[in-house]
Amino acid sequence: MEETPQHCLSRLPDNSALKQQELPAHRLYFTARRVLFVFFTTGIFCLCMGIILILSARSTQEIEINYTRICANCAKLRENASNFDKECTCSIPFYLSGKMMGNVYMYYKLYGFYQNLYRYVRSRSNRQLVGKDVKAVEDCAPFKMSDNKTPIVPCGAIANSMFNDTIILSHNINSSVQIKVPMLKSGLTWWTDKYVKFQNPSSKNLADEFRGTTKPPNWPKPIYDLDKKDPRNNGFLNDDFIVWMRAAAFPTFKKLYGRLNRTHHFIEGLPAGNYSFNITYNFPVTRFQGEKSVVLSTLTWCGGNSLFLGLAYTVTGAITWLASFAMMAIHITLKNKQMSFFHQ
Amino acid sequence: MERIVKANDREYNEKFQYADNRIHTSKYNILTFLPINLFEQFQRVANAYFLCLLILQLIPEISSLTWFTTIVPLVLVITMTAVKDATDDYFRHKSDNQVNNRQSEVLIDSKLQNEKWMNVKVGDIIKLENNQFVAADLLLLSSSEPHGLCYVETAELDGETNLKVRHALSVTSELGADINRLARFDGPDTKLMQNSGKTKFKRTSIDRLMNTLVLWIFGFLICLGIILAIGNSIWESQIGDQFRTFLFWNEGEKSSVFSGFLTFWSYIIILNTVVPISLYVSVEVIRLGHSYFINWDRKMYYSRKATPAEARTTTLNEELGQIEYIFSDKTGTLTQNIMTFKRCSINGRIYGEVPDDLDQKTEITQEKEPVDFLVKSQADREFQFFDHNLMESIKMGDPKVHEFLRVLALCHTVMSEENSAGELIYQVQSPDEGALVTAARNFGFIFKSRTPETITIEELGTLVTYQLLAFLDFNNTRKRMSVIVRNPEGQIKLYSKGADTILFEKLHPSNEVLLSLTSDHLSEFAGEGLRTLAIAHRDLDDKYFKEWHKMLEDANAATEERDERIAGLYEEIERDLTLLGATAVEDKLQEGVIETVTSLSLANIKIWVLTGDKQETAINIGYACNMLTDDMNDVFVIAGNNAVEVREELRKAKENLSGQNRNVSNGHVVCEKKQQLELDSIVEETVTGDYALIINGHSLAHALESDVKSDLLELACMCKTVVCCRVTPLQKAQVVELVKKYRNAVTLAIGDGANDVSMIKSAHIGVGISGQEGLQAVLASDYSFAQFRYLQRLLLVHGRWSYFRMCKFLCYFFYKNFAFTLVHFWFGFFCGFSAQTVYDQWFITLFNIVYTSLPVLAMGIFDQDVSDQNSMDCPQLYEPGQLNLLFNKRKFFICVLHGIYTSLALFFIPYGAFYNMAGEDGQHIADYQSFAVTMATSLVIVVSVQIALDTSYWTFINHVFIWGSIAIYFSILFTMHSNGIFGIFPNQFPFVGNARHSLTQKCIWLVILLTTVASVLPVVVFRFLKVNLYPTLSDQIRRWQKAQKKARPPSSRRPRTRRSSSRRSGYAFAHQEGYGELITSGKNMRAKNPPPTSGLEKTHYNSTSWIENLCKKTTDTVSSFGQDKTVKL
């Protein structure tokens, strides 16, 4: 063993806390007191939160009118695709018993429409929608090109299947006077959608930019004619279009259609009374046994009037409390047993 | 196989295409690395599976995930493995080169030339000099020693440092000139390479379990795929049909069954993340970390030899926590192979060091001053003796003491030699004898030199030459050795030493009083685990001796019954002896062996000693290290010479054992592990009481035959201690294999020499003792360290932790991936079974390798349930590993259920919340992308909270990793949803602005919170109840630790154990027969030292007969070790 001291030293492992597995550490151990404390606190929190959520959900008002059946004749007309150019309107009167205070939102709601199908979700071209290259249709199968090989704008299955009913809400002050409730068609989308994700090609004349392309087969008019009056709501920037393009997670979904413009008569919201929806029925749902309805709703801090979250919190809180009592009981019994064991 | 070799004729030998002598342990070179390595890697099932998956993903019809979700992790994994393989191979190249480039002298073109060992060819004649390493099997042609003898050290083979004699064939021995040897076998053909067994790829039981589980998971996956495919077919025919024309234009003709078929594959792709590729990488990384901890452990660093512990294999660590059987070599492992003269009893008086821990005698040791020897210049410096009384007796001239030391100096087979510095060096062939002769030397009776007829010793300063009249050699039945010498005064004396049991029978009746006294002393020595010998002498009458000697000569000349006649004559003269006393030589145990053995037995690990040594020696060591005790109910010795005897003995022992079992009612009950009942598996029996089994190599050979095998195993497994002695390396391996195969237990073999290689290789874990000259054991081993006692720390601390961590890691990992993946299954029911993923593709790619890998790795590497001190103090903590409690199929199911529950909570709570939800500003939040972000965020938070609960040892690294992972998740999320990256790649990052909008909604956070609470709290309840109602030992220790955080635990509660035993050791010499003949014939003495002519009759032996004799005797010991790959000359 003629090893130099240096060599010996170099083979001696470092005395660092890491290498010797002696890092200062906190040993996590669940003492009964800690666990029970956490459980009781969580229980209280969940119960309170649940009650608050239920109360706030109950404070909202919502009216949903399913117009699949009501407008049965229109639905029948739409089942035959060849009647696409025939207009069909349908009026649905209803009575609002109490007034809807504050901001009122109008949604259309579809049942059984699978916007989350794998191929459906992918069938869009973000490159086209951002206005960079309107002819970029590579991801849009099967709605890439029309039969004569012109690229479709906007391409893809999502765009093709866009919801195209028009819904007008009128307030019937009395049997003869009917005023249209003013609805805003702006601010329906996320800021990033409107200003980042969807952009028109940079040109004054949209129609020029979209030359050499064609409209989706289901659409009655091309993209640049969606809203001729307002250039900021036309083309890819159309709010209804953007809203539709944000695919829903589940086959039943609602999408924002308009916001109440709180002016004049409606400054506080929707007063109680007789109303009617005048619907231009274009979107066929009966073909796939779907349904559609229109929803008027007010909102609170936690969204709409869904009770699920509130109930779920309440139930969780209650179970947590029950569990903590049970645990406490078990713990105390065991402790007593141990004590008596030691006394013996 | 017949080999024809012409010496020194390379051209002729080349015809046979013998292998060259280059050692190849490396696998690749630069060119072949990439193809071979890739080929090897894709042979691993996991990698091949992911490759298939990748190919599936490239088919557009079924691709439900983009290719990068698989290729990124796959490339990462393959690169990491390739880098590791490359570095490993680089080091192999280096060590190969080192061995291959050693120099040797080869006779080429009739002159000696320097040649590298790798260029040595079969048939070459090689010249070796003293102390050279040998890297081939050689045939000794001749040597510079007389009669073509040469002494070989086989430390690299068996760890024994004593020299073994080899002799050249008489035909070639006259060739002279140093040592010439003929290369016989080269490179891979050497005996060692052939004998060492094939290196098997070792895998841990966790590995095997993991593979089974992965297969189950695949099965599960296929079931899920089938369910979803059927769902898809139904959905397509019921709803999708009408939908298709509407959504998908003109694809109306697609059949729903075909769509279901495609969906099946799509879902296989999506759900494959249940077994993520990162599982295998993480397991490797954790094991690597554990291996480094072993390398870094200062408590396993042996400073005297500057040897740290080394984990040579990085894939077996958790198996260290599951060991049930340890197979240990003796020499060099349990013992240091150093014999020291400890105590003696002369004429009824005890001299020598007393044990430290016996209080009544400590006065003597307190002086702690070694005896000042008479002849300092000639004394061996390493020898120390602490009792001054002996020296005083010598000085006072006690004749019995003088005679006693004279026997030690005269009656032996040691050869003396002077080295360059003029110091006296003894060449010993048994370290016991060395110890005795050295002791005599230090006490003033110095053995100086010998010739065939004389022995010269220096007695207290005066040179005395004794005439050696006869040498009555040792053999196994005689168990004694005697010399008959004539001293200068002309008296003829017979000096004898041997096993007490044998020698006591030969004593003169007048010795009775002394005999009983000495007998007591011997018991005391034996109680301390010392090897004892009785010493006696006899004065012979001149006439009687002459008569006897004549008869001996006649007997030697006889052709018939020669051996028997000689033996009878030996018996005849060795009687009426006068007892002088007894010696006690310590076969020094390695440090801390007793403590380690005790502690490991407390951990319910069974230790079997497999040794090439003799039965007595082995038993002796068994007692010395507390494996055998007097408290044992019975010790069975199996020493039958044929199959029938062995079977009979085994059966008897078993009957004995079960008979006693019935009688003993209040003994300690050893419940053995439950076992699946295989065909030949042993029916478990509960054994009461402690038993030991001792079996020797011959009997073992019979016992290992197939029909007795189960008897042996059954008996052996019921015994607390098993000692196998005189076993060959192959038998060692067979015993290991036997236990491995039929017991289904995890085995560990520990040894230091080349004779342990086969056993080290066949055990699940092989441990080599490093820091010694031999390297084979270390090279073949999986772990190596310098001292046996480090085994305790390796198993109880490192092994236990590794197992604990690995199990926790696996539980968590399976849980995590089930929770992660199964949401796709639930979502399938809401998206028309269209193989739509719940998460963003990028999230799927990164989840396992970025977002959740580090915290679980940190837990897998650093977690500790109890401190190392606690696991050393409380060996019982080791048992969960042996019983496989922490990760088994049941645990796996619990983890899977936990994962399934979490995935349900993860999916259905957001689903319920999103069903009729609107944002605070009335805008979307129930869209697919927001749902994906909510789910992903919930998942990351839930699994992070879960790992936080699982981590029981929070170092800053855990903090950094856990908080860091969450932080990284959010930063990557916001980056990928940012405007900038969308501007560059609009198609790859469609989630722009999502995080910003979703995660500012209060209700989304409420959903995430509720999901977390709902998934985590039940687990806490479950664990709380488990700890309270069924606490494990480690839970109790942790609670206790918590309670006494400040108070240091007592360092060790176990007292140092010393046995007090009445057991006698036999003649425990590591001794070979035949040396006596060598000495009396003078064959091993140099010619330049001409024997003085003596007036007395010479003893003549037929020279061929002794060679044959020697061959016969040596081959059965030597051939068992005889893998002369690297023999030190």
Side-chain angles (χ1 to χ4, degrees), chain A residues 122-158:
Chain A
R122 286 173 58 87
S123 181
R124 63 190 283 160
S125 168
N126 285 327
R127 245 153 61 75
Q128 186 189 56
L129 297 173
V130 84
K132 277 188 174 168
D133 176 6
V134 290
K135 288 175 183 170
V137 294
E138 58 274 13
D139 293 333
C140 289
F143 296 95
K144 277 162 125 177
M145 308 266 191
S146 67
D147 291 337
N148 53 9
K149 299 291 171 213
T150 40
I152 296 171
V153 174
C155 67
I158 309 182

Side-chain angles (χ1 to χ4, degrees), chain B residues 599-600 602-603 796 870-879 1054:
Chain B
S599 164
L600 292 180
L602 276 176
L796 297 188
N870 282 327
S871 22
M872 291 283 267
D873 287 342
C874 191
Q876 288 84 350
L877 281 172
Y878 192 76
E879 274 173 48
R1054 283 190 313 280

Side-chain angles (χ1 to χ4, degrees), chain A residues 8 12-13 20-21 23 26 28 107 114 116 118-119 132 143 189 192 197 246-247 250-251 301 313 334, chain B residues 63 243 247 254 296 298 301 805 830 834 864 911 920 922-923 927-928 952-954 983 990 997 1006 1038:
Chain A
C8 292
L12 177 69
Q20 301 308 315
Q21 304 199 61
L23 282 175
H26 173 70
L28 196 66
Y107 299 91
Y114 285 81
N116 55 10
Y118 176 66
R119 293 201 295 147
K132 277 188 174 168
F143 296 95
T189 61
T192 42
K197 205 171 175 181
R246 186 156 280 281
F250 299 105
W301 64 276
Y313 262 105
L334 278 177
Chain B
S63 162
F243 229 60
L247 297 179
K254 216 153 104 186
W296 285 334
R298 280 167 85 99
Y301 175 77
R805 290 164 178 168
F830 299 92
S834 66
Q864 303 178 3
Y911 170 72
E920 295 155 40
Q923 294 169 355
D927 61 305
Y928 163 73
S952 43
Y953 189 75
W954 278 73
H997 282 98
L1006 285 175
R1038 291 179 63 193

Side-chain angles (χ1 to χ4, degrees), chain B residues 352-367:
Chain B
E353 194 186 349
V354 285
D356 320 327
D357 50 353
L358 294 178
D359 293 332
Q360 65 268 30
K361 287 185 188 171
T362 38
E363 314 92 58
I364 307 168
T365 38
Q366 261 157 16
E367 298 169 28

Side-chain angles (χ1 to χ4, degrees), chain B residues 55 124 139 635 855 866 1016 1128:
Chain B
I55 294 165
D124 280 358
L139 176 72
V635 177
V866 295
V1016 170
K1128 202 173 170 190

